[in-house]
């Protein structure tokens, strides 16, 4: 029996150099075999005519909250991976704040087993730090990293005491990813603004200093122990400027599309749908974050996909939960920014695929070249389509970008050489694989 093979014909292909060619790509057994500017003559299982479409490496989303187990009314691994496939996301790294928390090898194994049975795309999981699970953190495998919530969290995942942070940074060599908000300042400001129920106050309570203080703490610890550190969802001009001035080689940071494209004006337009942690900031922060991303100070993009139901979101602040979905819209949002001249398509590919694979030491991902995994997305850069809640695959059924007219929507998403999404239809029989993290 012949090996599964796929031939993509006449695509506009982005090469690892950032240059484009029009040509063919042949994949077999989940890997890219050949990239050619001329027609590839090969008998294959399936072929796709990609004339007029652009072929990119699949997106690797390095920060998502897919809610399973325990919170499946908001999202689950199947619905979230369907949303990934529709959005051109071929791999994801998921966070530990589920029920039960992902803080032991047992709970990590449970997530891996769940994902193997129901995820259309590739998957990896963080293990969460608590005040008393250092032994679990030292031996967790396979994991992309240790997640530390320095603030904006309740229960065991809130790790604020300096001595606990010191012990985590001082022991082991797995990447540490931090949600950088200072819990002490958060408590003080929540008390100060306790009687205000306008959701826009959220950005004042969790202000830029709240983020900066925690980022400074994490950076200091990383430098003290020379520990691999990643700053999640950077949101402020102050943090970007800090990274520009003082960023060791072993430190990386990310930004979300919403912190680039939305600001506090969104509260007037969409209310609590704009509420997230860390919060949206001002237009000045948008511009400084954009420049830091363009200059390489910020390394890559994540969505922080964190869905809640509309019913939950409609509650009065502060009962309304923080978080918004993002995996279906992140690539079109960034490709629309490229079409508007804010960046290039090659930069988008680096920020959303190549640089993520490098930072998390994921082999054979993030480029279109022989020997790389056949995780690919064909996008249409010649037309625009609006974000519509009715067409979303995410279980929560809404987007903060509803009504935005975007280009670069995925036409076909390929995971391990298998078509997971094509021309509006999901192939729900496709299954991704557990990601490998080289140390």
């Amino acid at each position: 029996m012949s090996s599964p093979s796929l031939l993509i014909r006449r695509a506009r292909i982005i090469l690892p150099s950032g240059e484009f060619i029009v040509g063919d790509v042949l994949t077999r057994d989940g890997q890219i075999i050949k990239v050619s500017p001329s027609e590839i003559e090969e008998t294959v299982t399936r072929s796709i005519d990609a004339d007029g479409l652009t072929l990119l490496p699949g997106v690797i989303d390095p920060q998502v909250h897919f809610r399973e187990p325990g919170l499946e009314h908001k999202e689950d691994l199947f619905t979230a991976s369907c949303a990934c496939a529709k959005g051109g996301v071929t791999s994801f790294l998921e966070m530990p704040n589920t029920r039960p928390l992902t803080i032991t090898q047992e709970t990590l194994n449970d997530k891996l087993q769940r994902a193997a049975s129901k995820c259309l795309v590739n998957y990896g999981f963080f293990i969460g730090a608590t005040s008393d699970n250092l032994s679990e953190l030292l031996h967790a495998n396979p994991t992309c990293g240790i997640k530390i919530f320095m603030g904006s969290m309740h229960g065991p995942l809130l790790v604020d005491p300096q001595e606990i942070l010191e012990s985590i940074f001082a022991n082991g060599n797995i990447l540490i990813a931090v949600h950088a908000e200072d819990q002490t300042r958060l408590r003080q400001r929540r008390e100060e603004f306790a009687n205000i129920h306008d959701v826009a106050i959220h950005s004042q309570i969790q202000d830029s200093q709240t983020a900066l203080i925690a980022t400074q703490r994490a950076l200091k610890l990383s430098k003290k122990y020379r520990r691999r550190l990643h700053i999640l969802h950077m949101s402020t001009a102050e943090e970007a400027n800090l990274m520009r001035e003082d960023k060791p080689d072993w430190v990386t940071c990310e930004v979300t599309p919403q912190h680039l494209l939305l600001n506090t004006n969104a509260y007037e337009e969409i209310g609590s749908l704009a509420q997230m942690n860390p919060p949206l900031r001002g237009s000045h922060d948008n511009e400084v974050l954009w420049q830091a991303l363009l200059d390489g100070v910020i390394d890559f993009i994540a969505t922080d996909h964190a869905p809640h139901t509309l019913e939950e979101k409609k509650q009065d602040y502060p009962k309304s939960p923080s978080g918004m979905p993002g995996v279906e819209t992140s690539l079109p949002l960034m490709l629309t920014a490229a079409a508007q001249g804010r960046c290039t398509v090659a930069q988008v590919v680096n920020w959303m695929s190549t640089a993520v694979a490098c930072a998390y030491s994921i082999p054979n991902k993030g480029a279109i070249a022989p020997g790389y995994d056949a995780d690919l997305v064909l996008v249409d850069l010649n037309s625009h389509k609006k974000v519509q809640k009715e067409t979303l695959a995410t279980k929560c059924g809404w987007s903060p970008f509803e009504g935005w007219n975007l280009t670069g929507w995925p036409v076909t998403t390929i995971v391990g050489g298998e078509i997971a999404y094509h021309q509006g239809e999901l192939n729900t029989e496709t299954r991704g694989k557990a990601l490998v993290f080289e140390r």
Side-chain angles (χ1 to χ4, degrees), residues 136-208:
E136 295 282 355
L137 303 182
L138 290 173
H139 303 293
N141 186 56
T143 184
C144 49
I146 297 166
K147 171 67 177 288
I148 299 180
F149 287 91
M150 299 176 72
S152 294
M153 179 54 63
H154 303 283
L157 282 181
L158 176 61
V159 180
D160 183 52
Q162 185 67 20
E163 64 273 16
I164 302 299
L165 290 170
E166 290 265 359
S167 67
I168 296 169
F169 273 84
N171 293 279
N173 58 9
I174 298 175
L175 175 148
I176 293 173
V178 297
H179 178 120
E181 291 188 280
D182 184 71
Q183 190 66 16
T184 299
R185 184 173 177 87
L186 270 178
R187 290 193 191 101
Q188 294 170 346
R189 293 183 69 77
R190 282 173 180 160
E191 291 176 7
E192 182 180 349
F193 297 99
N195 296 318
I196 299 177
H197 299 288
D198 179 357
V199 69
I201 202 67
H202 187 64
S203 291
Q204 293 186 48
I205 294 173
Q206 297 178 211
D207 66 349
S208 59

Side-chain angles (χ1 to χ4, degrees), residues 57 116 118 162 167 255 275-276 306 364 421:
K118 61 178 64 176
Q162 185 67 20
S167 67
V255 67
Q275 181 187 336
M276 65 173 297
N364 304 320
Y421 172 75

Side-chain angles (χ1 to χ4, degrees), residues 255-262 286 289-290 293 301 334 342:
V255 67
T256 69
Q258 53 266 35
H259 285 119
L260 294 172
L261 300 170
L262 298 176
N286 293 148
L289 291 167
W290 259 113
L293 183 63
I301 287 170
M334 295 308 299
R342 301 210 67 170

Side-chain angles (χ1 to χ4, degrees), residues 103-267:
I103 55 176
T104 65
Q105 186 66 48
E106 181 182 5
T107 50
L108 178 61
N109 290 344
D110 176 67
K111 274 193 177 177
L112 288 162
Q113 291 167 5
R114 289 169 180 265
S117 70
K118 61 178 64 176
C119 277
L120 278 63
V121 301
N122 306 311
Y123 47 88
F125 298 98
F126 282 87
I127 187 166
T130 71
S131 61
D132 59 1
N133 76 332
L134 181 59
S135 61
E136 295 282 355
L137 303 182
L138 290 173
H139 303 293
N141 186 56
T143 184
C144 49
I146 297 166
K147 171 67 177 288
I148 299 180
F149 287 91
M150 299 176 72
S152 294
M153 179 54 63
H154 303 283
L157 282 181
L158 176 61
V159 180
D160 183 52
Q162 185 67 20
E163 64 273 16
I164 302 299
L165 290 170
E166 290 265 359
S167 67
I168 296 169
F169 273 84
N171 293 279
N173 58 9
I174 298 175
L175 175 148
I176 293 173
V178 297
H179 178 120
E181 291 188 280
D182 184 71
Q183 190 66 16
T184 299
R185 184 173 177 87
L186 270 178
R187 290 193 191 101
Q188 294 170 346
R189 293 183 69 77
R190 282 173 180 160
E191 291 176 7
E192 182 180 349
F193 297 99
N195 296 318
I196 299 177
H197 299 288
D198 179 357
V199 69
I201 202 67
H202 187 64
S203 291
Q204 293 186 48
I205 294 173
Q206 297 178 211
D207 66 349
S208 59
Q209 283 301 304
T210 302
L212 181 62
I213 291 167
T215 298
Q216 288 171 325
R217 278 182 80 190
L219 182 61
K220 186 175 181 179
L221 285 166
S222 174
K223 291 166 69 176
K224 179 177 180 179
Y225 296 105
R226 293 187 68 86
R227 184 66 180 269
R228 176 75 174 88
L229 172 67
H230 179 65
I231 308 294
L232 297 160
H233 45 42
M234 192 170 288
S235 64
T236 70
E238 289 86 348
E239 291 171 287
N241 290 332
L242 172 65
M243 289 291 108
R244 188 179 292 276
E245 296 166 5
D246 185 13
K247 185 186 174 196
D249 292 342
W250 60 88
V251 174
T252 53
C253 50
E254 72 187 28
V255 67
T256 69
Q258 53 266 35
H259 285 119
L260 294 172
L261 300 170
L262 298 176
N263 53 51
T264 50
N265 293 332
Y267 291 120

Side-chain angles (χ1 to χ4, degrees), residues 274-285:
Q275 181 187 336
M276 65 173 297
N277 295 330
L280 299 177
R281 310 294 183 184
S283 58
H284 173 68
D285 297 276

Side-chain angles (χ1 to χ4, degrees), residues 84-105:
C84 284
K86 285 192 69 176
V89 176
T90 55
S91 301
F92 66 80
L93 305 180
E94 205 261 353
M95 289 297 170
N97 52 327
T98 45
R99 297 179 183 174
L101 304 172
T102 315
I103 55 176
T104 65
Q105 186 66 48

